[in-house]
């Protein structure tokens, strides 16, 4: 009996998300087809010029915009940023440093601190449990 292996494919939206690019800015042939795992790996290993350009200048999808600004995606929405932004627009926002951006960056910093605190507390708890002798069940 021979096994027939099918080629793994993904939708263009999934591939764009994994590549960190804004789907609507990709070439039409990318948007209209499916992307095989082999094609995806090739795009990652040796990105074509259009992919290099999109990664460098945008427009960038919201997760990338949020990361470049140091805020959450929800923070972007609260700041009124709902569209994809170019690198130039992101740099202009950083330069302008509006109040909402300052507030969201501070919020994000607090979230990161709290995450670290929780991880440290969990490590301590795990270490204590590892040191405690286990009593046999009756």
């Amino acid at each position: 009996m021979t096994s027939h292996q099918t080629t793994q494919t993904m939708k263009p939206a999934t591939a764009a998300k994994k590549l960190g690019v804004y789907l609507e800015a990709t070439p039409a042939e990318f948007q209209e087809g499916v992307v095989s795992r082999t094609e995806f790996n090739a795009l990652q290993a040796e990105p074509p010029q259009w992919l290099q350009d999109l990664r460098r200048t945008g427009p960038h999808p919201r997760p990338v915009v949020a990361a470049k600004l140091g805020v959450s995606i929800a923070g972007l929405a609260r700041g009124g940023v709902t569209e994809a932004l170019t690198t130039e627009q992101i740099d202009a926002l950083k330069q302008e440093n509006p109040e909402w951006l300052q507030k969201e960056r501070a919020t994000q910093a607090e979230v990161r601190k709290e995450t670290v605190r929780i991880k440290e507390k969990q490590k301590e708890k795990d270490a204590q449990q590892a040191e405690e002798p286990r009593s046999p069940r009756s």
Side-chain angles (χ1 to χ4, degrees):
M1 187 164 127
T2 59
S3 63
H4 180 71
Q5 193 171 9
T6 58
T7 305
Q8 264 190 329
T9 59
M10 61 184 90
K11 295 176 183 175
T14 303
K17 184 176 184 176
K18 289 182 180 225
L19 291 168
V21 295
Y22 186 57
L23 177 63
E24 285 76 10
T26 61
E29 59 269 14
F30 180 86
Q31 293 180 38
E32 294 165 2
V34 293
V35 180
S36 71
R37 175 63 63 185
T38 307
E39 291 169 331
F40 178 78
N41 290 339
L43 285 170
Q44 281 189 309
E46 292 183 35
Q49 191 60 49
W50 64 265
L51 183 52
Q52 292 175 35
D53 292 344
L54 276 178
R55 286 179 169 165
R56 185 174 48 258
T57 61
H60 303 287
R62 285 184 306 156
V64 174
V65 173
K68 285 180 179 267
L69 290 173
V71 299
S72 66
I73 295 172
L76 279 181
R78 285 190 294 268
V81 178
T82 57
E83 298 297 315
L85 299 179
T86 64
T87 301
E88 193 176 296
Q89 291 169 313
I90 293 169
D91 290 343
L93 253 177
K94 285 180 182 178
Q95 204 66 30
E96 185 182 311
N97 202 13
E99 189 177 327
W100 72 265
L101 182 55
Q102 293 172 37
K103 182 180 172 196
E104 291 301 332
R105 281 181 167 169
T107 300
Q108 192 69 5
E110 287 299 316
V111 168
R112 286 189 195 111
K113 272 195 238 176
E114 181 66 7
T115 301
V116 168
R117 187 190 69 77
I118 290 170
K119 282 184 181 179
E120 290 299 319
K121 190 173 182 179
Q122 187 61 45
K123 272 187 196 175
E124 289 173 18
K125 185 178 176 185
D126 292 346
Q128 282 178 343
Q129 285 180 346
E131 290 174 8
E132 291 176 7
R134 296 187 181 235
S135 59
R137 291 190 176 181
S138 303

